[in-house]
Amino acid sequence: MKHGLCIIGYGGMGGWHTEHALKSDVVELIGIHDIKEERNKLAESRGIKAFYTLEEVLENKDIEFVTIAIPNDVHEEVAIACMNAGKHVISEKPVTLSCDSLERMIAASEKNNVLFSVHQNRRWDVDYLAIQKIFDTDAIGDVFSVESRIHGSRGIPSDWRGIKKYGGGMLYDWGVHLIDQLLMLYRDKKIESVFCEFEHLTNDEVDDGYRLTINFENGARAYSEVGTYNFIAMPRFYARGRKGSAVISDWREPCKVVECFAWHENDVLPVKTAAGLTKTMAPRDEITTKTYDMERPISDVHNYYRNFCACIEGKQTQIVTHQQMRRVLKVIEAGFESVEKKQPVKFDDVI
């Protein structure tokens, strides 16, 4: 059974959703809607039905749900209008720009008895799934620190993503993905504090880079960083556990794991480094460690829509829950507060 979908917004991500909907085994693409006539015409030139007004979308009985891929500041307005018309709603990330706004959207979904979700598609990134496996399999023991980075060198996009009132900036853009991934890794640990710093190298209005640390109970720490002025990228993921370390240099590369199975060595000899000697930094060998590449996980991004459609049929529960949406947005708000105060912000967490 396929479920009727309309994609609202036919820009970059709207085009991505359209492409995947046309290949989906659970979705029937009824059409798209954009406020710009030229984008509607473009869709029609590709054989896709275009709705020129939102009212047409709301009145169409074949459309069971919509995916909203428009600037961040208007997600709430359009989502609530669709839910009030009885449509299930998927919003592109960030779901909206404040926790108060999110609560109004959740209330609309409950009032109208419709599904409401955010498109956290990067839970299906192969690099993230590999790190998730590190956590779930205990390959390097209890993971007390994980670092997540996305680096590029082209600055912030020149479209609405560089304008504050539209919800621009990297913390909203890429940060919402990285934070969601980190919170899923540490889904059973409460957050104690958040500290964030912004960069403004190519844009003075919004952050074109950020560094954010989430401190969890029992000393666990998650760090995320986005940079748009990095001509040499640091590793995508780096994790440290009680029994070893893991690193993914690039999303195209496998996860490299070093397991430490013997800690003490009686015959460690000093090694020469630069202008001195050190035993502390003496390299390990195969006597105490095992090094290998983890097999890359299999991923299918269509599983997000499969889950949503199964939820419409009442056969599954939502992979991306309202509480997860709340928690991610609350961390983002704490990040902005931390930047303003230039200090860590205490976090009242609910798992």
Side-chain angles (χ1 to χ4, degrees):
M1 177 180 180
K2 289 191 174 186
H3 296 272
L5 165 68
C6 179
I7 295 167
I8 300 177
Y10 194 54
M13 281 308 300
W16 185 94
H17 282 284
T18 300
E19 177 185 343
H20 281 72
L22 291 171
K23 299 175 183 176
S24 174
D25 54 357
V26 294
V27 168
E28 178 185 357
L29 181 64
I30 305 300
I32 65 95
H33 162 63
D34 200 289
I35 61 172
K36 294 184 177 180
E37 183 176 355
E38 63 270 22
R39 292 185 179 173
N40 291 324
K41 294 290 187 184
L42 177 62
E44 289 176 332
S45 73
R46 295 170 173 171
I48 299 167
K49 180 175 177 57
F51 296 95
Y52 282 72
T53 67
L54 181 60
E55 288 68 28
E56 292 180 78
V57 176
L58 302 182
E59 293 170 0
N60 190 293
K61 302 301 182 184
D62 293 329
I63 298 172
E64 295 177 72
F65 73 110
V66 301
T67 294
I68 298 172
I70 55 181
N72 301 331
D73 63 312
V74 288
H75 285 184
E76 178 189 348
E77 173 189 345
V78 174
I80 290 178
C82 291
M83 288 188 280
N84 285 342
K87 312 295 185 187
H88 305 289
V89 170
I90 294 171
S91 174
E92 254 304 328
K93 54 78 203 167
V95 59
T96 187
L97 298 181
S98 73
C99 291
D100 288 343
S101 174
L102 175 58
E103 291 305 323
R104 290 190 291 269
M105 298 164 86
I106 291 173
S109 72
E110 293 173 347
K111 170 188 172 185
N112 294 290
N113 194 30
V114 293
L115 298 176
F116 170 53
S117 180
V118 64
H119 185 235
Q120 288 290 9
N121 55 305
R122 293 199 177 274
R123 291 190 189 181
W124 283 267
D125 282 355
V126 173
D127 50 19
Y128 163 68
L129 292 175
I131 288 294
Q132 186 179 59
K133 189 174 181 180
I134 290 291
F135 274 72
D136 294 344
T137 61
D138 199 42
I140 60 173
D142 179 45
V143 181
F144 57 85
S145 175
V146 61
E147 301 173 12
S148 170
R149 293 180 174 87
I150 291 290
H151 284 163
S153 61
R154 299 184 182 277
I156 199 166
S158 58
D159 57 11
W160 59 266
R161 291 171 180 83
I163 301 173
K164 185 175 182 178
K165 69 178 182 179
Y166 298 138
M170 286 295 104
L171 184 57
Y172 275 134
D173 189 70
W174 265 102
V176 68
H177 283 307
L178 304 192
I179 292 167
D180 179 70
Q181 290 177 343
L182 293 174
L183 294 187
M184 292 303 295
L185 294 175
Y186 285 117
R187 54 190 174 272
D188 298 326
K189 290 187 180 293
K190 286 190 174 182
I191 301 169
E192 292 187 343
S193 66
V194 172
F195 179 65
C196 187
E197 297 175 298
F198 282 168
E199 287 186 337
H200 296 277
L201 298 173
T202 64
N203 188 301
D204 293 330
E205 186 171 345
V206 298
D207 64 295
D208 54 18
Y210 77 84
R211 296 179 294 275
L212 183 141
T213 301
I214 304 172
N215 294 300
F216 295 91
E217 61 185 359
N218 302 324
R221 182 183 72 95
Y223 175 83
S224 75
E225 176 181 318
V226 171
T228 60
Y229 206 79
N230 298 64
F231 295 87
I232 299 175
M234 294 180 69
R236 173 67 186 90
F237 278 106
Y238 180 69
R240 291 185 294 155
R242 298 294 175 186
K243 298 190 297 184
S245 300
V247 64
I248 300 177
S249 60
D250 183 274
W251 63 271
R252 293 162 291 194
E253 300 297 325
C255 181
K256 179 181 179 181
V257 180
V258 177
E259 293 185 24
C260 179
F261 50 82
W263 180 256
H264 294 289
E265 293 182 73
N266 297 324
D267 57 349
V268 176
L269 298 175
V271 295
K272 292 181 180 181
T273 58
L277 297 175
T278 178
K279 289 180 67 176
T280 303
M281 301 304 168
R284 294 215 172 238
D285 54 28
E286 67 277 3
I287 297 174
T288 60
T289 60
K290 178 174 66 173
T291 302
Y292 58 91
D293 286 345
M294 178 184 291
E295 184 178 354
R296 283 169 63 83
I298 297 173
S299 178
D300 187 349
V301 74
H302 288 280
N303 285 338
Y304 174 85
Y305 272 100
R306 290 185 184 120
N307 169 254
F308 194 83
C309 289
C311 291
I312 292 176
E313 298 170 11
K315 295 178 179 178
Q316 294 182 14
T317 57
Q318 287 183 223
I319 291 176
V320 183
T321 69
H322 291 173
Q323 185 57 26
Q324 291 165 1
M325 294 154 65
R326 288 185 175 107
R327 202 168 179 229
V328 170
L329 200 53
K330 190 175 177 182
V331 169
I332 290 175
E333 285 196 341
F336 280 107
E337 182 182 352
S338 175
V339 169
E340 183 179 349
K341 293 182 176 179
K342 298 182 179 180
Q343 64 184 29
V345 172
K346 290 185 178 179
F347 200 93
D348 184 17
D349 198 13
V350 177
I351 298 178

